[in-house]
């Protein structure tokens, strides 16, 4: 089954089953699955999909962005660099005179690490008080896979690349790791506690999923 959403023709994978409600999902491979009650008409399915067309197209755009491979930085003075969610020329962040590309990259990394350390120290106090927890230590690290982590003995680490994210996204990662001091697993209690402090946390997760690959040196 196919449907036109704005200027894009998309294919629907329809599954009929004994169920009361119709649902639509889009996975990372752009597969759009419609699960519908037995006997649901094509008109009803197409109408339901059309009603959430903008959401479907947005997910497809996110998928496309996630598959895009970011270009390697050249450190030649013509590029922009992310800091707290905004774009800056390199010379606005670090001293660029008499430095080659490798030296500029190292200096920028040090800038991000020192900046994030200060940002975390300033912003974590509020949430520690709200959650009534206190980490044993806080460290800024380099990681390819995690934005933050919490050890069983209460030590928190944060990926230096978070300095490239908007402050509210940094707050999300802070709250996420602080909540692990209360709930080590991602169970319902964990998400309820996190949501009680930041109700729109899913938007912050989506930002990291969408933009994280571009937050690189």
């Amino acid at each position: 089954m196919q449907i036109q959403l704005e200027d894009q023709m998309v294919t629907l994978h329809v599954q009929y089953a004994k169920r009361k409600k119709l649902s639509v999902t889009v996975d990372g491979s752009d597969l759009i699955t419609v699960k519908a009650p037995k006997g649901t008409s094509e008109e009803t399915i197409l109408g339901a999909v059309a009603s959430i067309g903008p959401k479907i197209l947005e997910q497809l755009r996110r998928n496309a962005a996630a598959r895009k491979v970011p270009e390697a930085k050249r450190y030649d003075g013509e590029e922009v660099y992310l800091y707290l969610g905004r774009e800056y020329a390199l010379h606005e962040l670090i001293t660029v005179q008499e430095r080659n590309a490798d030296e500029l990259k190292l200096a920028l990394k040090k800038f991000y690490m020192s900046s994030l350390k200060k940002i975390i120290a300033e912003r974590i106090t509020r949430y520690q008080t709200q959650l009534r927890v206190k980490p044993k230590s806080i460290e800024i690290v380099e990681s390819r896979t995690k934005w933050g982590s919490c050890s069983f003995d209460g030590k928190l680490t944060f990926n230096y690349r978070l300095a490239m994210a908007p402050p509210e996204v940094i707050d999300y990662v802070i709250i996420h790791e602080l909540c692990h001091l209360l709930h080590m697993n991602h169970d319902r209690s964990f998400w309820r506690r996190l949501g009680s402090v930041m109700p729109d946390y899913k938007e912050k997760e989506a930002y990291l999923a969408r933009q994280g690959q571009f937050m690189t040196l």
Side-chain angles (χ1 to χ4, degrees), residues 15-23 35-38:
Q15 298 176 351
Y16 297 96
K18 290 183 178 181
R19 55 187 296 130
K20 294 182 179 180
K21 295 182 179 181
L22 184 149
S23 68
K35 295 182 179 180
K38 287 184 177 180

